[in-house]
Amino acid sequence: MTYCVGMQLRQGLVFLSDTRTNAGLDNISSYCKMTTWEVPGDRVMMLMTAGNLATTQAVVSLLEERNLAPSDRDPTLLGVPSMFQAARLIGQTLRDVIAEQARTGPTAASTFNATMIFGGQVKGGPPRLYMIYPEGNFVEAQSDTPFFQIGETKYGRPILVRAYDPDMDFARAVKLLMVSFDSTIRANLSVGTPLDLRIYEADSLKIGYSRRIEDTDADWRAVSDGWSDALRQAFDSLPDVTL
């Protein structure tokens, strides 16, 4: 399983993903689930994936291959005129990969499913954030849905819903995402560190702050331990129940 969150702020976009692809008593593996494309001054795009690893790898590889020879493979992510067209291209590629694998593999098409969060900015348009579904269709983040989650979403959602503010700065947004991921990791073995963080500042048209957050990261440990302490204090401050 996995857990990824893409968040839209007035300042820009924040992306955080875990790296765990398999979890068991004797088999734990990791794989980066975030891919970035950049043409400084023209476009920045980030893609996070959840679902069948073979499917997501195939989609990213096809997109990368088109970028390497754009004259022979049109359209490409580096050539489309807008984020909307880029989301359409990724959706079509995802749908085609799933359909191809379903024809040559097991009959259960859901085995090959994958969901993606895609965001960034193309020069001339605003920053945009999309959720792309296995069928190839997608939805865009709006004021009512300012963040998207994929993978193991239920444990980390409550704090996002309660504490999200579009005017928060990047540092506060990262702290909020850390709390969301900490809640998920504590509740589900299939999500784990290290985490990959990317920040995109609106209209910069270049990759911003990037960081890999290990389990020993000082900020991560401070947020994780502090959140646990704060929850215990909040629980203790509640009135006792009369029995």
Side-chain angles (χ1 to χ4, degrees):
M1 204 54 176
T2 188
Y3 183 41
C4 304
V5 181
M7 181 176 291
Q8 190 171 54
L9 306 170
R10 298 200 196 281
Q11 277 193 314
L13 303 171
V14 183
F15 303 84
L16 190 63
S17 65
D18 87 316
T19 55
R20 185 159 294 178
T21 59
N22 195 19
L25 294 178
D26 58 354
N27 185 17
I28 296 177
S29 58
S30 297
Y31 187 86
C32 181
K33 301 165 189 175
M34 187 183 302
T35 305
T36 304
W37 295 276
E38 177 189 33
V39 180
D42 181 69
R43 66 191 60 204
V44 171
M45 299 174 178
M46 276 158 278
L47 181 70
M48 296 187 295
T49 61
N52 183 275
L53 185 58
T55 297
T56 59
Q57 284 184 329
V59 170
V60 171
S61 295
L62 284 170
L63 295 171
E64 293 276 17
E65 185 181 55
R66 290 181 183 136
N67 289 336
L68 293 175
S71 60
D72 299 328
R73 299 175 176 88
D74 187 57
T76 73
L77 287 180
L78 302 184
V80 293
S82 67
M83 286 295 296
F84 177 81
Q85 292 298 331
R88 284 190 63 188
L89 176 59
I90 294 173
Q92 291 168 1
T93 305
L94 175 59
R95 182 184 60 208
D96 292 345
V97 167
I98 292 174
E100 177 64 24
Q101 291 182 340
R103 285 195 295 269
T104 59
T107 56
S110 61
T111 303
F112 307 107
N113 277 356
T115 308
M116 301 180 172
I117 295 174
F118 175 61
Q121 185 174 16
V122 174
K123 186 177 181 180
R128 295 190 181 278
L129 183 66
Y130 299 94
M131 170 92 83
I132 303 175
Y133 298 101
E135 295 78 11
N137 57 338
F138 54 89
V139 294
E140 182 177 359
Q142 304 288 344
S143 58
D144 291 336
T145 54
F147 58 84
F148 290 130
Q149 303 167 275
I150 55 176
E152 193 61 61
T153 62
K154 54 185 175 293
Y155 303 107
R157 184 173 180 79
I159 185 62
L160 297 179
V161 173
R162 288 177 180 271
Y164 170 83
D165 182 348
D167 293 314
M168 64 173 50
D169 60 22
F170 287 132
R172 189 172 178 82
V174 171
K175 179 169 67 173
L176 174 59
L177 289 178
M178 282 185 173
V179 172
S180 177
F181 272 72
D182 179 67
S183 300
T184 304
I185 289 171
R186 287 176 179 268
N188 194 310
L189 180 65
S190 68
V191 179
T193 55
L195 311 178
D196 288 319
L197 170 67
R198 300 285 188 279
I199 293 175
Y200 174 70
E201 184 176 358
D203 300 323
S204 66
L205 295 174
K206 63 180 180 180
I207 296 175
Y209 183 82
S210 300
R211 179 174 177 181
R212 172 152 280 202
I213 302 170
E214 302 284 352
D215 191 59
T216 55
D217 183 278
D219 290 330
W220 169 255
R221 296 271 29 112
V223 169
S224 177
D225 295 342
W227 180 241
S228 294
D229 292 342
L231 285 176
R232 293 189 191 98
Q233 293 172 14
F235 176 77
D236 290 341
S237 68
L238 295 173
D240 290 336
V241 176
T242 302
L243 297 178

